[in-house]
Amino acid sequence: MALVGTEVKAIREGRVNLRDSFAKSKAGTCTSTTSTSARTAAAATPTRTAAARKLLLHRHEIRKLIGKTTERGMTLVPVRMYFKNGRVKIAISLAKGKKDYDRRETIKRARSTGKPARR
């Protein structure tokens, strides 16, 4: 994952949020939109908080992911972030989205229990 120094610092401190994040494959590259609160005390300038960051993948990995997302209509979802040999790694999963009737069911259940529905 291509990051700036202050973003790496924020990830080390555990200030990263993978909720509502996703990955896209377009024009031979993969990008991940991850919410990071990358403001650290040492940062002189504020960094991007929810921008698309380039995923550093091999060409054959990108082809495989593009094939699965276009063929089966699946989505790429970042599951976890971790460090390996001083580099930030992201674990990506293939996920299938909810159908409309499943969404309506979830909203109906949430309203009956009094909890606000997540989208």
Side-chain angles (χ1 to χ4, degrees):
M1 191 170 186
L3 297 169
V4 183
T6 55
E7 292 173 330
V8 175
K9 238 181 203 181
I11 292 169
R12 261 186 219 282
E13 293 170 1
R15 290 187 289 146
V16 66
N17 183 11
L18 289 178
R19 179 166 289 189
D20 297 332
S21 60
F22 59 94
K24 284 184 180 179
S25 53
K26 184 171 39 173
T29 62
C30 282
T31 57
S32 172
T33 305
T34 308
S35 304
T36 353
S37 69
R39 290 176 181 248
T40 58
T45 58
T47 56
R48 54 206 175 151
T49 53
R53 290 158 179 90
K54 187 175 180 181
L55 296 177
L56 306 173
L57 298 169
H58 291 284
R59 195 172 294 145
H60 64 87
E61 292 174 328
I62 293 172
R63 275 195 217 118
K64 187 165 71 170
L65 291 175
I66 288 174
K68 288 183 180 177
T69 55
T70 57
E71 178 185 317
R72 299 183 193 156
M74 299 181 102
T75 306
L76 297 172
V77 180
V79 179
R80 70 184 187 114
M81 246 185 204
Y82 60 96
F83 281 91
K84 184 175 180 182
N85 297 331
R87 296 184 182 184
V88 178
K89 302 283 184 173
I90 255 188
I92 299 175
S93 296
L94 282 166
K96 192 173 229 177
K98 280 188 175 182
K99 300 287 183 191
D100 283 335
Y101 55 85
D102 288 336
R103 285 194 185 118
R104 286 193 292 265
E105 186 82 23
T106 306
I107 292 169
K108 195 185 305 179
R109 236 183 285 130
R111 284 186 182 156
S112 68
T113 59
K115 294 180 183 177
R118 275 190 50 215
R119 293 182 183 185

PDB file of all heavy atoms in Angstrom, residues 5-32:
ATOM      1  N   GLY A   5       4.411   9.150   5.268  1.00  0.00           N
ATOM      2  CA  GLY A   5       4.993   8.840   6.574  1.00  0.00           C
ATOM      3  C   GLY A   5       4.057   9.039   7.742  1.00  0.00           C
ATOM      4  O   GLY A   5       3.995   8.216   8.660  1.00  0.00           O
ATOM      5  N   THR A   6       3.269  10.137   7.728  1.00  0.00           N
ATOM      6  CA  THR A   6       2.361  10.383   8.858  1.00  0.00           C
ATOM      7  C   THR A   6       1.220   9.376   8.890  1.00  0.00           C
ATOM      8  O   THR A   6       0.704   9.050   9.956  1.00  0.00           O
ATOM      9  CB  THR A   6       1.784  11.810   8.787  1.00  0.00           C
ATOM     10  OG1 THR A   6       1.168  11.995   7.518  1.00  0.00           O
ATOM     11  CG2 THR A   6       2.866  12.836   8.994  1.00  0.00           C
ATOM     12  N   GLU A   7       0.833   8.851   7.722  1.00  0.00           N
ATOM     13  CA  GLU A   7      -0.202   7.820   7.675  1.00  0.00           C
ATOM     14  C   GLU A   7       0.298   6.525   8.298  1.00  0.00           C
ATOM     15  O   GLU A   7      -0.436   5.851   9.025  1.00  0.00           O
ATOM     16  CB  GLU A   7      -0.643   7.578   6.236  1.00  0.00           C
ATOM     17  CG  GLU A   7      -1.382   8.743   5.643  1.00  0.00           C
ATOM     18  CD  GLU A   7      -1.667   8.573   4.167  1.00  0.00           C
ATOM     19  OE1 GLU A   7      -0.888   7.899   3.468  1.00  0.00           O
ATOM     20  OE2 GLU A   7      -2.669   9.142   3.717  1.00  0.00           O
ATOM     21  N   VAL A   8       1.547   6.187   8.024  1.00  0.00           N
ATOM     22  CA  VAL A   8       2.137   4.983   8.616  1.00  0.00           C
ATOM     23  C   VAL A   8       2.184   5.122  10.133  1.00  0.00           C
ATOM     24  O   VAL A   8       1.870   4.191  10.870  1.00  0.00           O
ATOM     25  CB  VAL A   8       3.551   4.719   8.044  1.00  0.00           C
ATOM     26  CG1 VAL A   8       4.207   3.555   8.744  1.00  0.00           C
ATOM     27  CG2 VAL A   8       3.474   4.471   6.551  1.00  0.00           C
ATOM     28  N   LYS A   9       2.542   6.323  10.599  1.00  0.00           N
ATOM     29  CA  LYS A   9       2.584   6.581  12.038  1.00  0.00           C
ATOM     30  C   LYS A   9       1.208   6.397  12.673  1.00  0.00           C
ATOM     31  O   LYS A   9       1.068   5.801  13.729  1.00  0.00           O
ATOM     32  CB  LYS A   9       3.061   8.008  12.286  1.00  0.00           C
ATOM     33  CG  LYS A   9       4.274   8.112  13.133  1.00  0.00           C
ATOM     34  CD  LYS A   9       4.630   9.561  13.314  1.00  0.00           C
ATOM     35  CE  LYS A   9       6.091   9.653  13.654  1.00  0.00           C
ATOM     36  NZ  LYS A   9       6.538  10.999  13.869  1.00  0.00           N
ATOM     37  N   ALA A  10       0.187   6.915  12.005  1.00  0.00           N
ATOM     38  CA  ALA A  10      -1.179   6.798  12.520  1.00  0.00           C
ATOM     39  C   ALA A  10      -1.631   5.340  12.548  1.00  0.00           C
ATOM     40  O   ALA A  10      -2.300   4.911  13.491  1.00  0.00           O
ATOM     41  CB  ALA A  10      -2.129   7.622  11.668  1.00  0.00           C
ATOM     42  N   ILE A  11      -1.240   4.567  11.548  1.00  0.00           N
ATOM     43  CA  ILE A  11      -1.598   3.145  11.511  1.00  0.00           C
ATOM     44  C   ILE A  11      -0.886   2.397  12.630  1.00  0.00           C
ATOM     45  O   ILE A  11      -1.465   1.538  13.290  1.00  0.00           O
ATOM     46  CB  ILE A  11      -1.271   2.531  10.132  1.00  0.00           C
ATOM     47  CG1 ILE A  11      -2.209   3.130   9.082  1.00  0.00           C
ATOM     48  CG2 ILE A  11      -1.402   1.024  10.156  1.00  0.00           C
ATOM     49  CD1 ILE A  11      -1.824   2.810   7.669  1.00  0.00           C
ATOM     50  N   ARG A  12       0.377   2.737  12.875  1.00  0.00           N
ATOM     51  CA  ARG A  12       1.118   2.116  13.982  1.00  0.00           C
ATOM     52  C   ARG A  12       0.455   2.389  15.319  1.00  0.00           C
ATOM     53  O   ARG A  12       0.453   1.547  16.208  1.00  0.00           O
ATOM     54  CB  ARG A  12       2.542   2.660  14.030  1.00  0.00           C
ATOM     55  CG  ARG A  12       3.539   1.774  13.399  1.00  0.00           C
ATOM     56  CD  ARG A  12       4.930   2.308  13.608  1.00  0.00           C
ATOM     57  NE  ARG A  12       5.718   2.122  12.418  1.00  0.00           N
ATOM     58  CZ  ARG A  12       6.268   0.963  12.066  1.00  0.00           C
ATOM     59  NH1 ARG A  12       6.102  -0.085  12.819  1.00  0.00           N
ATOM     60  NH2 ARG A  12       6.962   0.870  10.963  1.00  0.00           N
ATOM     61  N   GLU A  13      -0.089   3.604  15.468  1.00  0.00           N
ATOM     62  CA  GLU A  13      -0.760   3.970  16.715  1.00  0.00           C
ATOM     63  C   GLU A  13      -2.165   3.382  16.803  1.00  0.00           C
ATOM     64  O   GLU A  13      -2.836   3.539  17.818  1.00  0.00           O
ATOM     65  CB  GLU A  13      -0.837   5.501  16.830  1.00  0.00           C
ATOM     66  CG  GLU A  13       0.510   6.151  17.011  1.00  0.00           C
ATOM     67  CD  GLU A  13       0.454   7.665  16.888  1.00  0.00           C
ATOM     68  OE1 GLU A  13      -0.646   8.224  16.678  1.00  0.00           O
ATOM     69  OE2 GLU A  13       1.525   8.296  17.026  1.00  0.00           O
ATOM     70  N   GLY A  14      -2.614   2.710  15.736  1.00  0.00           N
ATOM     71  CA  GLY A  14      -3.913   2.061  15.753  1.00  0.00           C
ATOM     72  C   GLY A  14      -5.071   2.979  15.396  1.00  0.00           C
ATOM     73  O   GLY A  14      -6.218   2.653  15.640  1.00  0.00           O
ATOM     74  N   ARG A  15      -4.772   4.121  14.797  1.00  0.00           N
ATOM     75  CA  ARG A  15      -5.834   5.053  14.436  1.00  0.00           C
ATOM     76  C   ARG A  15      -6.214   4.873  12.976  1.00  0.00           C
ATOM     77  O   ARG A  15      -5.978   5.732  12.136  1.00  0.00           O
ATOM     78  CB  ARG A  15      -5.402   6.486  14.716  1.00  0.00           C
ATOM     79  CG  ARG A  15      -5.306   6.744  16.207  1.00  0.00           C
ATOM     80  CD  ARG A  15      -5.055   8.175  16.515  1.00  0.00           C
ATOM     81  NE  ARG A  15      -3.691   8.513  16.118  1.00  0.00           N
ATOM     82  CZ  ARG A  15      -3.335   9.692  15.644  1.00  0.00           C
ATOM     83  NH1 ARG A  15      -4.204  10.624  15.484  1.00  0.00           N
ATOM     84  NH2 ARG A  15      -2.085   9.922  15.323  1.00  0.00           N
ATOM     85  N   VAL A  16      -6.803   3.742  12.674  1.00  0.00           N
ATOM     86  CA  VAL A  16      -7.274   3.447  11.326  1.00  0.00           C
ATOM     87  C   VAL A  16      -8.651   2.797  11.445  1.00  0.00           C
ATOM     88  O   VAL A  16      -8.934   2.078  12.402  1.00  0.00           O
ATOM     89  CB  VAL A  16      -6.285   2.534  10.564  1.00  0.00           C
ATOM     90  CG1 VAL A  16      -6.202   1.166  11.175  1.00  0.00           C
ATOM     91  CG2 VAL A  16      -6.632   2.444   9.114  1.00  0.00           C
ATOM     92  N   ASN A  17      -9.516   3.092  10.487  1.00  0.00           N
ATOM     93  CA  ASN A  17     -10.869   2.577  10.518  1.00  0.00           C
ATOM     94  C   ASN A  17     -11.148   1.896   9.183  1.00  0.00           C
ATOM     95  O   ASN A  17     -11.165   2.547   8.148  1.00  0.00           O
ATOM     96  CB  ASN A  17     -11.843   3.738  10.750  1.00  0.00           C
ATOM     97  CG  ASN A  17     -13.269   3.272  10.869  1.00  0.00           C
ATOM     98  OD1 ASN A  17     -13.541   2.094  10.971  1.00  0.00           O
ATOM     99  ND2 ASN A  17     -14.181   4.213  10.849  1.00  0.00           N
ATOM    100  N   LEU A  18     -11.380   0.598   9.204  1.00  0.00           N
ATOM    101  CA  LEU A  18     -11.652  -0.142   7.973  1.00  0.00           C
ATOM    102  C   LEU A  18     -13.143  -0.261   7.674  1.00  0.00           C
ATOM    103  O   LEU A  18     -13.519  -0.823   6.662  1.00  0.00           O
ATOM    104  CB  LEU A  18     -11.031  -1.537   8.056  1.00  0.00           C
ATOM    105  CG  LEU A  18      -9.519  -1.593   7.988  1.00  0.00           C
ATOM    106  CD1 LEU A  18      -9.036  -3.021   8.125  1.00  0.00           C
ATOM    107  CD2 LEU A  18      -8.993  -0.992   6.709  1.00  0.00           C
ATOM    108  N   ARG A  19     -13.976   0.263   8.557  1.00  0.00           N
ATOM    109  CA  ARG A  19     -15.415   0.203   8.328  1.00  0.00           C
ATOM    110  C   ARG A  19     -15.756   1.083   7.124  1.00  0.00           C
ATOM    111  O   ARG A  19     -15.220   2.156   6.956  1.00  0.00           O
ATOM    112  CB  ARG A  19     -16.164   0.704   9.553  1.00  0.00           C
ATOM    113  CG  ARG A  19     -17.671   0.675   9.361  1.00  0.00           C
ATOM    114  CD  ARG A  19     -18.341   0.843  10.650  1.00  0.00           C
ATOM    115  NE  ARG A  19     -18.127  -0.402  11.389  1.00  0.00           N
ATOM    116  CZ  ARG A  19     -18.721  -0.687  12.516  1.00  0.00           C
ATOM    117  NH1 ARG A  19     -19.523   0.159  13.071  1.00  0.00           N
ATOM    118  NH2 ARG A  19     -18.499  -1.830  13.119  1.00  0.00           N
ATOM    119  N   ASP A  20     -16.646   0.608   6.280  1.00  0.00           N
ATOM    120  CA  ASP A  20     -17.082   1.298   5.060  1.00  0.00           C
ATOM    121  C   ASP A  20     -15.958   1.498   4.054  1.00  0.00           C
ATOM    122  O   ASP A  20     -16.036   2.376   3.196  1.00  0.00           O
ATOM    123  CB  ASP A  20     -17.717   2.658   5.376  1.00  0.00           C
ATOM    124  CG  ASP A  20     -18.967   2.531   6.213  1.00  0.00           C
ATOM    125  OD1 ASP A  20     -19.642   1.485   6.110  1.00  0.00           O
ATOM    126  OD2 ASP A  20     -19.272   3.469   6.964  1.00  0.00           O
ATOM    127  N   SER A  21     -14.890   0.720   4.149  1.00  0.00           N
ATOM    128  CA  SER A  21     -13.817   0.835   3.169  1.00  0.00           C
ATOM    129  C   SER A  21     -14.001  -0.235   2.092  1.00  0.00           C
ATOM    130  O   SER A  21     -14.630  -1.265   2.319  1.00  0.00           O
ATOM    131  CB  SER A  21     -12.455   0.691   3.837  1.00  0.00           C
ATOM    132  OG  SER A  21     -12.351  -0.553   4.456  1.00  0.00           O
ATOM    133  N   PHE A  22     -13.467   0.032   0.910  1.00  0.00           N
ATOM    134  CA  PHE A  22     -13.591  -0.893  -0.200  1.00  0.00           C
ATOM    135  C   PHE A  22     -12.399  -0.718  -1.121  1.00  0.00           C
ATOM    136  O   PHE A  22     -11.650   0.239  -1.000  1.00  0.00           O
ATOM    137  CB  PHE A  22     -14.902  -0.654  -0.965  1.00  0.00           C
ATOM    138  CG  PHE A  22     -15.029   0.724  -1.525  1.00  0.00           C
ATOM    139  CD1 PHE A  22     -14.648   0.992  -2.825  1.00  0.00           C
ATOM    140  CD2 PHE A  22     -15.519   1.763  -0.756  1.00  0.00           C
ATOM    141  CE1 PHE A  22     -14.740   2.270  -3.343  1.00  0.00           C
ATOM    142  CE2 PHE A  22     -15.628   3.039  -1.263  1.00  0.00           C
ATOM    143  CZ  PHE A  22     -15.240   3.298  -2.564  1.00  0.00           C
ATOM    144  N   ALA A  23     -12.231  -1.646  -2.033  1.00  0.00           N
ATOM    145  CA  ALA A  23     -11.143  -1.575  -3.009  1.00  0.00           C
ATOM    146  C   ALA A  23     -11.736  -1.666  -4.406  1.00  0.00           C
ATOM    147  O   ALA A  23     -12.737  -2.352  -4.622  1.00  0.00           O
ATOM    148  CB  ALA A  23     -10.144  -2.703  -2.777  1.00  0.00           C
ATOM    149  N   LYS A  24     -11.128  -0.956  -5.339  1.00  0.00           N
ATOM    150  CA  LYS A  24     -11.569  -0.974  -6.734  1.00  0.00           C
ATOM    151  C   LYS A  24     -10.408  -1.380  -7.615  1.00  0.00           C
ATOM    152  O   LYS A  24      -9.263  -1.049  -7.335  1.00  0.00           O
ATOM    153  CB  LYS A  24     -12.018   0.421  -7.175  1.00  0.00           C
ATOM    154  CG  LYS A  24     -13.345   0.852  -6.675  1.00  0.00           C
ATOM    155  CD  LYS A  24     -13.675   2.209  -7.289  1.00  0.00           C
ATOM    156  CE  LYS A  24     -15.018   2.692  -6.806  1.00  0.00           C
ATOM    157  NZ  LYS A  24     -15.343   4.009  -7.364  1.00  0.00           N
ATOM    158  N   SER A  25     -10.718  -2.072  -8.692  1.00  0.00           N
ATOM    159  CA  SER A  25      -9.696  -2.390  -9.684  1.00  0.00           C
ATOM    160  C   SER A  25     -10.106  -1.709 -10.978  1.00  0.00           C
ATOM    161  O   SER A  25     -11.186  -1.953 -11.506  1.00  0.00           O
ATOM    162  CB  SER A  25      -9.575  -3.899  -9.865  1.00  0.00           C
ATOM    163  OG  SER A  25     -10.832  -4.455 -10.143  1.00  0.00           O
ATOM    164  N   LYS A  26      -9.229  -0.808 -11.460  1.00  0.00           N
ATOM    165  CA  LYS A  26      -9.558  -0.046 -12.651  1.00  0.00           C
ATOM    166  C   LYS A  26      -8.276   0.244 -13.428  1.00  0.00           C
ATOM    167  O   LYS A  26      -7.273   0.638 -12.842  1.00  0.00           O
ATOM    168  CB  LYS A  26     -10.220   1.266 -12.230  1.00  0.00           C
ATOM    169  CG  LYS A  26     -10.692   2.118 -13.369  1.00  0.00           C
ATOM    170  CD  LYS A  26     -11.536   3.323 -12.951  1.00  0.00           C
ATOM    171  CE  LYS A  26     -11.069   3.990 -11.708  1.00  0.00           C
ATOM    172  NZ  LYS A  26     -11.796   5.238 -11.429  1.00  0.00           N
ATOM    173  N   ALA A  27      -8.320   0.030 -14.719  1.00  0.00           N
ATOM    174  CA  ALA A  27      -7.220   0.352 -15.633  1.00  0.00           C
ATOM    175  C   ALA A  27      -5.898  -0.286 -15.217  1.00  0.00           C
ATOM    176  O   ALA A  27      -4.851   0.343 -15.239  1.00  0.00           O
ATOM    177  CB  ALA A  27      -7.062   1.859 -15.766  1.00  0.00           C
ATOM    178  N   GLY A  28      -5.949  -1.549 -14.779  1.00  0.00           N
ATOM    179  CA  GLY A  28      -4.728  -2.270 -14.456  1.00  0.00           C
ATOM    180  C   GLY A  28      -4.120  -1.947 -13.103  1.00  0.00           C
ATOM    181  O   GLY A  28      -3.026  -2.377 -12.800  1.00  0.00           O
ATOM    182  N   THR A  29      -4.818  -1.163 -12.265  1.00  0.00           N
ATOM    183  CA  THR A  29      -4.338  -0.881 -10.919  1.00  0.00           C
ATOM    184  C   THR A  29      -5.463  -1.109  -9.921  1.00  0.00           C
ATOM    185  O   THR A  29      -6.632  -1.103 -10.277  1.00  0.00           O
ATOM    186  CB  THR A  29      -3.867   0.586 -10.768  1.00  0.00           C
ATOM    187  OG1 THR A  29      -4.975   1.441 -11.011  1.00  0.00           O
ATOM    188  CG2 THR A  29      -2.736   0.913 -11.706  1.00  0.00           C
ATOM    189  N   CYS A  30      -5.094  -1.310  -8.683  1.00  0.00           N
ATOM    190  CA  CYS A  30      -6.073  -1.460  -7.614  1.00  0.00           C
ATOM    191  C   CYS A  30      -5.887  -0.324  -6.626  1.00  0.00           C
ATOM    192  O   CYS A  30      -4.761   0.001  -6.260  1.00  0.00           O
ATOM    193  CB  CYS A  30      -5.888  -2.784  -6.882  1.00  0.00           C
ATOM    194  SG  CYS A  30      -6.558  -4.175  -7.772  1.00  0.00           S
ATOM    195  N   THR A  31      -6.986   0.265  -6.197  1.00  0.00           N
ATOM    196  CA  THR A  31      -6.930   1.306  -5.184  1.00  0.00           C
ATOM    197  C   THR A  31      -7.861   0.947  -4.049  1.00  0.00           C
ATOM    198  O   THR A  31      -8.879   0.302  -4.254  1.00  0.00           O
ATOM    199  CB  THR A  31      -7.357   2.682  -5.753  1.00  0.00           C
ATOM    200  OG1 THR A  31      -8.672   2.564  -6.289  1.00  0.00           O
ATOM    201  CG2 THR A  31      -6.404   3.168  -6.800  1.00  0.00           C
ATOM    202  N   SER A  32      -7.500   1.368  -2.852  1.00  0.00           N
ATOM    203  CA  SER A  32      -8.297   1.101  -1.669  1.00  0.00           C
ATOM    204  C   SER A  32      -8.698   2.421  -1.040  1.00  0.00           C
ATOM    205  O   SER A  32      -7.864   3.300  -0.841  1.00  0.00           O
ATOM    206  CB  SER A  32      -7.498   0.281  -0.662  1.00  0.00           C
ATOM    207  OG  SER A  32      -8.206   0.196   0.547  1.00  0.00           O
TER     208      SER A  32
END
